[in-house]
């Protein structure tokens, strides 16, 4: 009998064929076989057998993470972000092109990212490029094709101010120019969809009342911007992706576009699916993000869209900052930095909410592993299947966890989930067949497949 490097045996494993007992055979960091039964005859140098209360999951793929290094490493960095990811069951993340300095909007910016990430990664990391006015006008789109050739997964654009000066937003004309260029080389355009004119006409945010902040980012801002993205994708043929959908008002637009065959995918985030506007405490700016967390009725509609397939995947949009920028002392939603830190707790938060709705763990895991890998084009990730990387998560779904922001591996102790009691603990994460430990730096920089 051939001796293999590792066999992982689990009474419960979530595979593409469904939940079942398996023996997962691993060689050279990849899954060689997935045998039915946790007692299948396999000879291996090492054996990992899961406990009765544990479920074997594929490593999660989080395609929306702001690492911020270089330039704003005090907000978050590759070492802290990838460590938090591993503790949350995430074995692959894709870094957003802002809020680092320089942003990933040029070859030089990409090289700067890769240089500072070297030797710091606990999990595998890929990079998005950015579409900004400097590379999305007439005669400048060659920068986008150069970034694509270097292996970025696609290009992020804002339709309204991003919050940082070095990453400008696109006008409708610039969006069309960028989309045309990106479609020409087969790329992907991912969009923060809020309409600046609607935002400008809304009441300004200020003070400690979350309802006032919510009024400053109305549903209409997402609705109008998503309509523009759909029209642009329809006219150019570009593969378009809506980032962090928070407003259910846009779901009919998305459904119609899908029926027409517009190449459109959509993500949402744990904070939109597990939190609600009416539950946000006055002055607690850890909940501030853009677009905003909306009410529980809206949340119910997002869950229905997930189950119906209108929303493809769930990713964190981990967007941290230092505590002083969140204005926790004043609790002013108008001046606080917008972003929720949720990289480490997303799986438990989603499972807690799904469990209360009677939704199976397998669905949650699919939305957070196979689907983001598919949508972002991450190769070799997202499923327990032969030929893929042996990236695995050992999860105890019935164990309860009290979230303490100060104990999370995020660089700064700010979390909208602070004090929450959640179901599900990640007990172990495995990257290409090796345990991710506290000092692991075996993560690789990956490129588009």
């Amino acid at each position: 009998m051939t001796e293999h490097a590792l066999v992982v045996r689990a009474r419960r494993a979530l595979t593409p064929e469904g939940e079942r007992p398996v023996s997962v055979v691993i060689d050279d960091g990849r899954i060689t076989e997935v045998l039915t039964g946790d007692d299948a005859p396999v000879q291996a140098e090492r054996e990992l057998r899961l406990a009765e209360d544990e479920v074997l999951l594929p490593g999660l793929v989080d395609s929306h993470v702001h690492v911020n290094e270089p330039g704003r490493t005090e907000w978050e960095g590759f070492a802290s972000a990838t460590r938090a990811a591993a503790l949350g069951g995430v074995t692959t993340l894709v870094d957003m092109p802002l809020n680092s300095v320089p942003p990933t909007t040029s070859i030089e910016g990409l090289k700067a990212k890769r240089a500072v990430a070297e030797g710091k990664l606990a999990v595998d990391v890929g990079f998005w490029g950015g579409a900004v006015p400097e590379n999305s006008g007439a005669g400048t789109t060659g920068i986008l094709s150069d970034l694509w050739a270097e292996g970025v997964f696609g290009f992020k654009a804002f339709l309204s101010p991003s919050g940082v000066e070095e990453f400008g937003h696109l006008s409708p004309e610039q969006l069309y120019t960028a989309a045309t260029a990106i479609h020409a080389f087969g790329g992907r355009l991912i969009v923060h969809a809020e309409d600046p004119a609607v935002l400008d006409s809304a009441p300004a945010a200020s003070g400690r009342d979350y309802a006032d902040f919510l009024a400053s980012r109305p549903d209409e801002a997402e609705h109008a911007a998503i309509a523009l993205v759909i029209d642009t994708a329809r006219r150019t043929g570009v593969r378009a992706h809506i980032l962090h959908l928070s407003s259910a008002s846009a779901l009919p637009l998305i459904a119609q576009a899908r029926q027409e065959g517009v190449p459109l995918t959509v993500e949402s985030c744990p904070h939109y699916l597990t939190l609600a506007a009416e539950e946000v405490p006055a002055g607690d700016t850890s909940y501030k993000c853009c677009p905003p967390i909306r009410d529980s009725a809206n949340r119910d509609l997002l869950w229905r869209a997930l189950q119906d397939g209108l929303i493809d995947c769930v990713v964190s949009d981990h967007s941290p900052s230092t505590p002083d920028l969140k204005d926790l002392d004043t609790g002013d939603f108008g001046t606080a930095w917008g972003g929720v830190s949720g990289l480490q707790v997303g799986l438990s938060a989603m499972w807690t909410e799904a469990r209360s709705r009677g939704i199976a763990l397998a669905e949650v895991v699919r939305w957070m592993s196979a689907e983001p890998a598919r949508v972002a084009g991450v190769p070799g990730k997202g499923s327990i299947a032969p030929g893929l990387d042996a990236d695995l998560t050992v999860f105890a779904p019935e164990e309860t966890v009290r979230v303490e922001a100060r104990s999370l591996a995020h660089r700064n102790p700010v979390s909208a989930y602070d004090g929450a009691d959640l179901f599900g603990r990640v007990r172990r994460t495995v990257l290409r067949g090796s345990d991710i430990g506290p000092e692991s730096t075996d993560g690789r920089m990956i490129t588009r497949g």
Side-chain angles (χ1 to χ4, degrees), residues 35 56 73 77 88 103 125 133 155 186 209 224 239-240 253 266 289 365 370 376 404:
L35 303 174
L56 185 66
T73 310
V125 174
F155 301 91
D209 190 341
R239 291 183 294 165
L253 280 177
V266 181
C289 56
V365 172
E404 295 180 341

Side-chain angles (χ1 to χ4, degrees), residues 128 131 153-157 170 175-176 178-180 182 187-191 229 232-233 236 238-242 263 265:
W128 294 106
F153 285 83
F155 301 91
K156 180 175 186 176
L170 301 184
L175 181 72
Y176 180 83
T180 301
I182 292 166
R188 180 180 288 102
L189 177 65
I190 67 174
V191 185
V229 174
T232 302
T236 65
V238 74
R239 291 183 294 165
H241 179 70
I242 302 299
T265 53

